[in-house]
Amino acid sequence: MNIFVQRRLHVYLLVGFCNVAGLVQQQVSLSSFRQSQQQQHSSALALALAALSSSSLDQSLVENQLGYLVKNFVCVSCRTTQSGKPVAIQTYPLQGGSPRRQAKAAITKGTATTKGTAAATPIGIGAPFPTLYWLTEPLISRAIGDLERQGYVASIEEQIRSNDKLSTDLIKCHQEYANDRWNSISCQDKAFLTDPKADSATIRMRDMLQKSGIAGTNLTIATSTTSTISNTIPSLKCLHTHYAHYRSLLAAPTRRQHDDERRTINPVGQLVHDQLIRDFSDLEL
């Protein structure tokens, strides 16, 4: 079986399991528990089957949006509220990116070296792709690009830094994003990356996947101890990536890092969403 098919099946099964776990946690009365539990398991199974059956259609929609289908496509992670068009996708953290990015990898003995650089990537595992959620809807992407050109990166960063609650939430989002990315990697690839005999290129790749947050944010900076929480906030890099994360988690509120821990809503994505509503009233979100 193709390794990417195995990985997608692994993700679908994991999503199905998480849906079941989340549904069982809902509060129901003792008298109706058994009936509710049966309905919940049936619903989770139906969702998993629907995801499998619609994957070809979703791939076509995403390919139409981007002009190509990313090699490490996993699933559509969120959709527009009216027509249901894909807004963002979830990707596999390895062997991804645009065809142009993939074409830059030149295979050599033992490593895949990017032309013009000294960086090396182990053969058989592919280049790291740290963007777990990728914004694909072109009109939304263009609108966010307009916000960035108007200076909203600095404006939103200032709003975050001036509010301790938003600052704390953003740091949590970076940490959870890195955990989600690492947890989505197959056992086979994790074994390769964590091999005690791994070479320096593999170690750098592992560190990138484990220790970088949204848009490649350095978690060492984001989790450093300082006098005020706002001083730990790294500079914002890409509103698109934050928005894709925000919408993807909003579309699946029962996703959990652990059974007893809910995801933190991305405050940058929330501020971007609010601004899109104000400035682009005709845009389907």
Side-chain angles (χ1 to χ4, degrees):
M1 183 181 292
N2 183 283
I3 184 62
F4 290 104
V5 174
Q6 291 179 330
R7 287 167 178 166
R8 289 175 188 169
L9 182 58
H10 165 77
V11 171
Y12 288 135
L13 292 175
L14 181 60
V15 170
F17 173 79
C18 291
N19 282 332
V20 172
L23 288 167
V24 171
Q25 291 295 323
Q26 292 178 342
Q27 294 182 354
V28 294
S29 64
L30 182 61
S31 62
S32 63
F33 175 77
R34 291 185 178 179
Q35 181 181 0
S36 175
Q37 186 180 48
Q38 183 178 8
Q39 293 173 345
Q40 290 160 359
H41 280 269
S42 298
S43 177
L45 179 59
L47 287 172
L49 292 174
L52 287 170
S53 64
S54 65
S55 61
S56 295
L57 174 59
D58 281 345
Q59 289 179 33
S60 297
L61 292 171
V62 171
E63 184 174 6
N64 184 59
Q65 290 177 327
L66 297 176
Y68 60 90
L69 181 64
V70 294
K71 187 178 180 182
N72 58 337
F73 171 89
V74 172
C75 65
V76 171
S77 56
C78 57
R79 304 174 187 275
T80 57
T81 56
Q82 295 179 12
S83 65
K85 294 184 298 182
V87 170
I89 61 173
Q90 181 176 344
T91 65
Y92 190 73
L94 298 166
Q95 299 188 2
S98 67
R100 181 180 178 183
R101 182 174 184 267
Q102 295 176 33
K104 289 182 179 179
I107 302 299
T108 61
K109 185 178 180 180
T111 61
T113 305
T114 302
K115 294 179 180 179
T117 71
T121 298
I123 284 180
I125 200 167
F129 190 78
T131 304
L132 186 62
Y133 300 110
W134 186 346
L135 191 67
T136 62
E137 211 292 315
L139 296 179
I140 296 177
S141 181
R142 190 179 307 158
I144 293 176
D146 288 344
L147 293 180
E148 290 182 336
R149 285 186 288 273
Q150 293 170 29
Y152 277 97
V153 174
S155 174
I156 289 176
E157 183 176 321
E158 179 58 31
Q159 291 181 67
I160 298 293
R161 289 183 183 276
S162 63
N163 186 304
D164 284 353
K165 172 64 166 59
L166 297 182
S167 297
T168 300
D169 284 350
L170 181 56
I171 291 174
K172 288 181 180 179
C173 284
H174 283 305
Q175 295 168 332
E176 292 171 8
Y177 194 95
N179 290 338
D180 287 345
R181 182 200 298 122
W182 182 253
N183 290 336
S184 73
I185 297 176
S186 70
C187 293
Q188 178 182 353
D189 287 340
K190 277 184 181 178
F192 184 92
L193 291 167
T194 57
D195 188 335
K197 298 180 181 180
D199 59 19
S200 59
T202 304
I203 293 173
R204 286 195 299 272
M205 179 187 293
R206 181 183 68 215
D207 287 345
M208 177 188 294
L209 296 174
Q210 282 188 312
K211 300 178 182 179
S212 63
I214 303 164
T217 298
N218 188 336
L219 284 182
T220 302
I221 297 175
T223 58
S224 61
T225 302
T226 60
S227 57
T228 59
I229 190 68
S230 63
N231 290 337
T232 68
I233 302 299
S235 299
L236 295 183
K237 295 182 179 180
C238 178
L239 299 185
H240 296 78
T241 310
H242 282 276
Y243 189 68
H245 177 235
Y246 163 76
R247 287 294 299 268
S248 296
L249 291 194
L250 206 63
T254 57
R255 288 180 181 171
R256 299 169 186 270
Q257 182 176 8
H258 303 293
D259 289 343
D260 60 347
E261 183 179 352
R262 284 191 176 275
R263 290 292 187 272
T264 305
I265 296 300
N266 189 318
V268 175
Q270 177 70 71
L271 291 171
V272 170
H273 188 73
D274 294 344
Q275 197 64 45
L276 288 173
I277 292 174
R278 285 192 291 268
D279 290 2
F280 303 90
S281 57
D282 294 333
L283 182 64
E284 183 185 357
L285 297 174

